[in-house]
Amino acid sequence: MKKYLVQFKPFLIFVSIFFLTYIILTILYKFYLNSYQVNDLDDISIFVGKNIEALLRFFDYNVIVQKSSQNPWLEIILNNLFLARIIEGCNAVSVMILFVSFVAAFSGKFKKTALFILFGIVSIYILNVLRIALLVVLLYKFPENNKLIHDIIFPLIIYGYVFLLWIFWINRFSKYAK
């Protein structure tokens, strides 16, 4: 048994750090979400909605992002047409938690790891805002492709980007890059 523990030590360390980080961050995020009332939307999701609205207005779209009067989501109205809603899951925090957990598990030097995590979180946030704004425009122009756009293309964008960040991290900065 000891032979296998020695042989698989790097893998076991990776898995342990990954799951420990993931569990701790997920629990902290759940505490954050539980601080809101049942029909309230969290501040991160509201901030995402404000950024989407500002971005679409910057590109001259007639857009309103407003809190639903009875539900915990934001409604996105483009040219007086309700197109989408932003729920808590749209804020990409769960994707950020997954990203951070992986980078921590393949950590390198503390400063590089911390800076890469910060860069990753900020870039994932920005990509997510761009992604949702583009989603709204595409839903307006191509409503018949709703399922394809929302369920396939847009998850591929965010998860594909995170995967590329992971590959870059492993090859350039992690302690396993050697």
Side-chain angles (χ1 to χ4, degrees), residues 33-71:
L33 291 177
N34 289 339
S35 70
Y36 290 89
Q37 299 296 324
V38 174
N39 279 338
D40 283 344
L41 190 60
D42 65 285
D43 288 338
I44 298 170
S45 300
I46 291 170
F47 190 64
V48 168
K50 288 178 181 179
N51 289 160
I52 292 164
E53 183 175 32
L55 179 64
L56 288 172
R57 286 180 188 234
F58 177 80
F59 286 103
D60 247 3
Y61 283 98
N62 178 17
V63 64
I64 297 169
V65 178
Q66 65 188 17
K67 171 81 175 78
S68 170
S69 60
Q70 299 174 340
N71 300 297

Side-chain angles (χ1 to χ4, degrees), residues 8-22 97-114 116-117 162-163 165-178:
F8 295 111
K9 183 180 177 184
F11 173 74
L12 294 173
I13 290 171
F14 167 80
V15 169
S16 299
I17 294 171
F18 175 85
F19 281 114
L20 185 64
T21 305
Y22 186 82
I97 290 172
L98 190 63
F99 167 77
V100 170
S101 300
F102 186 88
V103 172
F106 270 114
S107 65
K109 294 182 177 163
F110 178 78
K111 184 177 179 183
K112 285 184 180 180
T113 302
F116 192 76
I117 286 173
V162 169
F163 180 74
L165 285 175
W166 286 343
I167 297 299
F168 183 76
W169 172 252
I170 291 170
N171 289 322
R172 286 293 183 97
F173 299 113
S174 86
K175 60 187 169 196
Y176 301 103
K178 306 166 189 146

